[in-house]
Amino acid sequence: MLAELKNVTRYYQQEGVTTRNLIIDQVSLGIEENESLAVIGPSGSGKSTLLNILGSLDKPSSGKVVLDGAEVDLLDEKELAAIRNRFIGFVFQQHHLLPQLTLIENVLLPVLPVKDKAKQREATDRAHNLIERVGLKTLVHRRPAHLSVGECQRAAVVRALVNQPRLLLADEPTGSLDSEHAMQLAQLLGELNREQNLAVVVVTHSMEVASYMGKIYRITSEKLQLTEKR
Ligand SMILES: Nc1ncnc2c1ncn2[C@@H]1O[C@H](COP(=O)(O)OP(=O)(O)O)[C@@H](O)[C@H]1O
Ligand SMILES: [Mg+2]
């Protein structure tokens, strides 16, 4: 199992207030290697909360998170950061490309801290291959202001993959795209899942986007339920 949530509950509690705001309740989820899955649910249903806990960006109120066989709770910040960096790629609704850098410079940012020269070369080669794969080859020297939102989002996907993570976590990755480009990106994520030895988790409120993933889960009343694919 690549990643696992075991009976994960997350609530928010305001200081001085006794009632808790329960967001997700006793959720368990296993993600196998090479699996692709979507988590759907309306705005405010806890999708980002779930994804952030899975990516160890947030901690559950109770329950366990296991990443790459390691129980997240038992790791210190440094060990956790190392797992996050080598094991997980993140894509968000906003691409977060740096405006002063070109597409290729943005994509290669995660390669800069890599000290081993051979590994750096490898990551750079991988970046160029992925750029070609997602159809951005002729645009590598452009800055984000001269790229479309869809092109920026594809660049953000490449940036998330240059250090060869095993798990890609995408939070509303198509949220800034029109429906045609949203479908293209969803399809791309499905293809990368199949081609790159990569598990993909996409959080979305769009059933259409979700349909490109192998499994679809829905958050309903703080619980996660597997949905039949139509
Ligand atoms: N830091 C926080 N403090 C209190 N409540 C929060 C916090 N973050 C999220 N929430 C609440 O948790 C619920 C789920 O949020 P979220 O996971 O962002 O939902 P979604 O991504 O499905 O739109 C919302 O009601 C939101 O207001
Ligand atoms: Mg969200």
Side-chain angles (χ1 to χ4, degrees):
M1 199 79 82
L2 213 54
E4 225 177 335
L5 301 179
K6 293 184 184 171
N7 291 317
V8 163
T9 295
R10 180 70 165 105
Y11 54 77
Y12 290 102
Q13 188 160 23
Q14 262 182 295
E15 230 175 291
V17 179
T18 51
T19 53
R20 291 166 169 179
N21 185 12
L22 185 64
I23 311 300
I24 51 175
D25 184 20
Q26 301 268 341
V27 163
S28 295
L29 173 68
I31 299 161
E32 310 272 3
E33 295 199 30
N34 298 329
E35 189 172 19
S36 70
L37 60 92
V39 176
I40 60 171
S43 178
S45 58
K47 302 184 298 297
S48 295
T49 302
L50 184 87
L51 202 73
N52 290 341
I53 289 173
L54 192 54
S56 76
L57 299 174
D58 186 23
K59 283 191 159 59
S61 308
S62 67
K64 277 184 195 169
V65 183
V66 181
L67 291 177
D68 198 16
E71 195 178 315
V72 164
D73 228 17
L74 304 178
L75 303 173
D76 63 30
E77 242 337 290
K78 212 176 150 195
E79 293 168 319
L80 196 55
I83 286 203
R84 227 184 266 132
N85 289 340
R86 99 183 132 66
F87 185 71
I88 304 177
F90 290 97
V91 178
F92 300 97
Q93 178 171 353
Q94 307 300 332
H95 53 72
H96 299 298
L97 298 181
L98 297 178
Q100 68 274 30
L101 300 184
T102 63
L103 190 160
I104 185 67
E105 289 166 344
N106 266 292
V107 160
L108 289 177
L109 269 184
V111 181
L112 293 181
V114 176
K115 291 193 187 73
D116 183 321
K117 287 281 168 225
K119 285 209 169 111
Q120 210 176 61
R121 260 236 77 80
E122 220 176 90
T124 306
D125 288 348
R126 194 175 312 116
H128 282 285
N129 285 334
L130 282 166
I131 282 171
E132 187 158 8
R133 166 67 189 77
V134 305
L136 294 173
K137 197 181 175 186
T138 59
L139 307 176
V140 286
H141 299 302
R142 290 206 197 168
R143 291 191 167 73
H146 298 283
L147 296 165
S148 72
V149 189
E151 288 160 354
C152 286
Q153 201 58 331
R154 276 184 279 157
V157 170
V158 173
R159 181 185 54 187
L161 298 183
V162 288
N163 283 333
Q164 210 167 25
R166 309 285 303 289
L167 176 62
L168 184 73
L169 301 179
D171 190 349
E172 306 266 12
T174 63
S176 311
L177 305 179
D178 62 46
S179 114
E180 189 190 332
H181 288 101
M183 290 316 118
Q184 281 175 13
L185 192 84
Q187 184 176 5
L188 174 67
L189 293 176
E191 288 169 4
L192 291 172
N193 159 251
R194 293 187 290 276
E195 294 168 12
Q196 309 275 329
N197 187 31
L198 176 73
V200 175
V201 180
V202 177
V203 150
T204 176
H205 57 260
S206 158
M207 193 63 194
E208 263 189 299
V209 168
S211 69
Y212 286 91
M213 300 294 115
K215 278 185 190 167
I216 302 175
Y217 289 86
R218 185 188 296 275
I219 300 187
T220 327
S221 312
E222 296 87 43
K223 301 283 190 190
L224 192 65
Q225 276 162 349
L226 189 61
T227 301
E228 285 303 309
K229 276 197 87 168
R230 285 173 305 175

